[in-house]
């Protein structure tokens, strides 16, 4: 049985979730134990996560694969039209201060059960978006079978906890269109494994030739500015820290499109922090089917039926 909402009218929070509406209504919000994080920023042109100036790992970098970010995927006129069409339909209450519109099949993720339900396809206005998406190599042959629109508002304290999207049903590529305001997608990993960082003599972001750390010779030990013991290799020095101690910020401009795949899909969780919602934001996320529901999979027939429905573009929110 689903846990009933514990918030006031207009709140969709359940269980440990909370938003500003239920917290102001006298319900104590669930507080997670926050550990100290090293903060990095993702640079799309470099494919690197770079340590922030406010962090003791400033200037340290590591490769961050599996992210494709495209600015101005839609223009201002298209954005206005898309939001207007969404607002013509009902926004249903969701958790953590969000509202949602779902276009997709009926799913029980815990029991791994899937059926068509009342799903009638993606909305008509998404045909143009999909036709534009598949022009990019990373989205070649991308065929979404689900679209979820989420409405975030600062006055509701909207957020979404760090999570993985389901792997049983959804395929490798997660595609999201960011509308109305910029925000930050926060990437985190719970692994105790160590990640190798590099500290280069040339700033990877500005190409500034000023030295970022001083070292003596190949394969020797030396002391960096934050008093960490590292090892030099050629033009780089290296350091290892646990994945769990790192958070990577991906800045999402207004009207941008982001694709998460590979490590960014399966190794790193993604979420939106409450403080990163400054004004109304709408996110449209598109998901493709996993191999089990694709050609040659055990549930190929059901997958084909759902895909045919999705691409009819005759859907209404379910």
């Amino acid at each position: 049985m689903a846990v009933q909402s514990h918030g006031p009218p207009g709140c969709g929070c359940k269980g440990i979730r909370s938003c500003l509406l239920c917290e102001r209504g006298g319900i104590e919000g669930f507080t997670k134990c926050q550990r100290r994080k090293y903060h990095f920023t993702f640079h799309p042109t470099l494919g690197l996560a770079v340590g922030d100036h406010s962090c003791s790992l400033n200037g340290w970098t590591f490769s961050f694969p599996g992210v494709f970010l495209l600015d101005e995927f839609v223009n201002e006129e298209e954005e206005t039209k898309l939001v207007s069409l969404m607002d013509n339909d009902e926004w249903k209450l969701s958790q953590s201060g969000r509202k949602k519109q779902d276009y997709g099949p009926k799913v029980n993720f815990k029991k791994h059960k899937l059926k068509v339900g009342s799903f009638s396809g993606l909305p008509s206005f998404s045909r143009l978006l999909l036709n534009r998406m598949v022009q990019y190599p990373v989205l070649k042959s991308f065929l979404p079978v689900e679209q979820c629109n989420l409405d975030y508002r600062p006055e509701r304290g909207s957020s979404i906890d760090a999570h993985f999207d389901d792997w049983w049903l959804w395929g490798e590529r997660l595609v999201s269109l960011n509308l109305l305001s910029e925000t930050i997608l926060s990437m985190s990993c719970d692994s105790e494994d160590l990640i190798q960082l590099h500290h280069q003599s040339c700033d990877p972001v500005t190409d500034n030739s000023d030295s970022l750390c001083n070292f003596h010779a190949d394969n020797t030990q030396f002391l960096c500015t934050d008093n960490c013991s590292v090892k030099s290799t050629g033009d780089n020095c290296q350091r290892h820290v646990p994945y769990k101690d790192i958070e990577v910020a991906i800045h999402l401009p207004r009207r941008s499109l982001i694709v998460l795949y590979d490590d960014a899909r399966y190794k790193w969780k993604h979420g939106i922090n409450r403080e990163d919602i400054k004004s109304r934001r709408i996110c449209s996320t598109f998901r493709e089917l996993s191999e089990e529901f694709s050609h040659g999979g055990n549930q190929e027939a059901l997958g084909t039926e759902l895909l045919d429905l999705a691409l009819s573009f005759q859907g209404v929110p379910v």
Side-chain angles (χ1 to χ4, degrees):
M1 179 180 296
V3 180
Q4 297 301 310
S5 171
H6 62 218
C11 171
C13 297
K14 301 175 182 179
I16 64 173
R17 305 290 186 263
S18 70
C19 67
L20 286 179
L21 295 179
C22 57
E23 290 167 16
R24 289 168 179 164
I27 302 296
E28 183 178 355
F30 177 74
T31 302
K32 300 178 179 61
C33 179
Q34 296 293 331
R35 58 175 175 259
R36 184 174 180 272
K37 292 276 191 177
Y38 295 114
H39 292 281
F40 284 69
T41 297
F42 176 71
H43 290 266
T45 57
L46 301 170
L48 296 175
V50 180
D52 295 344
H53 291 289
S54 60
C55 168
S56 63
L57 293 179
N58 175 28
W60 291 82
T61 71
F62 63 93
S63 177
F64 199 85
V67 179
F68 175 73
L69 183 61
L70 183 67
D71 286 352
E72 293 293 331
F73 182 74
V74 295
N75 59 37
E76 291 185 37
E77 182 180 353
E78 290 169 332
E79 177 189 50
T80 299
K81 184 175 181 180
L82 286 169
V83 173
S84 176
L85 290 169
M86 293 179 197
D87 284 343
N88 283 338
D89 288 318
E90 178 187 5
W91 288 96
K92 296 182 179 180
L93 294 175
S94 186
Q95 300 201 65
S96 301
R98 290 171 279 126
K99 291 187 177 181
K100 66 180 180 179
Q101 295 173 342
D102 281 326
Y103 298 84
K106 186 175 179 61
V107 188
N108 186 319
F109 290 107
K110 289 185 177 180
K111 296 183 178 180
H112 281 192
K113 291 186 178 180
L114 174 69
K115 59 183 180 180
V116 174
S118 56
F119 179 46
S120 56
L122 302 184
S124 59
F125 56 79
S126 292
R127 186 193 298 268
L128 171 67
L129 300 176
L130 179 58
N131 289 339
R132 191 172 295 174
M133 288 177 195
V134 297
Q135 301 304 311
Y136 297 90
V138 70
L139 289 173
K140 184 180 179 181
S141 74
F142 181 68
L143 298 173
V145 75
E146 194 241 23
Q147 177 178 341
C148 180
N149 302 329
L150 290 173
D151 181 300
Y152 292 75
R153 308 250 186 168
E155 60 268 25
R156 296 199 302 257
S158 300
S159 65
I160 188 166
D161 291 343
H163 66 284
F164 292 114
D165 279 32
D166 184 80
W167 299 345
W168 162 70
L169 178 57
W170 307 129
E172 178 171 2
R173 294 167 291 188
L174 303 176
V175 183
S176 292
L177 177 61
N178 187 60
L179 300 174
L180 293 183
S181 65
E182 63 181 19
T183 193
I184 294 174
L185 188 66
S186 295
M187 311 294 291
S188 58
C189 180
D190 297 331
S191 174
E192 298 279 352
D193 292 342
L194 299 179
I195 187 168
Q196 180 174 285
L197 310 179
H198 297 274
H199 203 293
Q200 300 175 332
S201 59
C202 182
D203 188 329
V205 180
T206 65
D207 200 29
N208 189 323
S209 60
D210 291 338
S211 176
L212 294 179
C213 68
N214 298 312
F215 56 91
H216 302 296
D218 292 354
N219 301 319
T220 61
Q221 295 292 320
F222 65 94
L223 199 63
C224 277
T225 55
D226 62 350
N227 296 321
C228 62
S229 179
V230 294
K231 181 179 288 186
S232 66
T233 307
D235 292 333
N236 300 318
C237 55
Q238 299 175 3
R239 178 180 177 179
H240 295 81
V241 296
Y243 277 92
K244 65 181 180 64
D245 291 341
I246 287 176
E247 186 172 79
V248 179
I250 302 178
H251 290 262
L252 303 182
R254 182 175 178 175
R255 296 188 294 275
S256 64
L257 185 83
I258 187 170
V259 184
L260 300 181
Y261 60 99
D262 196 46
D263 280 2
R265 162 76 165 105
Y266 296 114
K267 193 167 190 173
W268 294 84
K269 293 180 178 181
H270 59 276
I272 301 284
N273 296 323
R274 178 184 291 181
E275 60 268 24
D276 292 324
I277 299 298
K278 308 299 186 183
S279 59
R280 188 188 185 194
R281 173 196 181 236
I282 288 178
C283 171
S284 291
T285 296
F286 300 82
R287 300 178 176 93
E288 62 186 343
L289 289 169
S290 67
E291 291 184 359
E292 181 169 346
F293 298 90
S294 302
H295 181 69
N298 293 332
Q299 301 195 57
E300 176 184 354
L302 177 55
T304 299
E305 179 184 3
L306 291 171
L307 195 55
D308 288 343
L309 270 176
L311 301 183
S312 70
F313 296 100
Q314 297 179 1
V316 293
V318 295

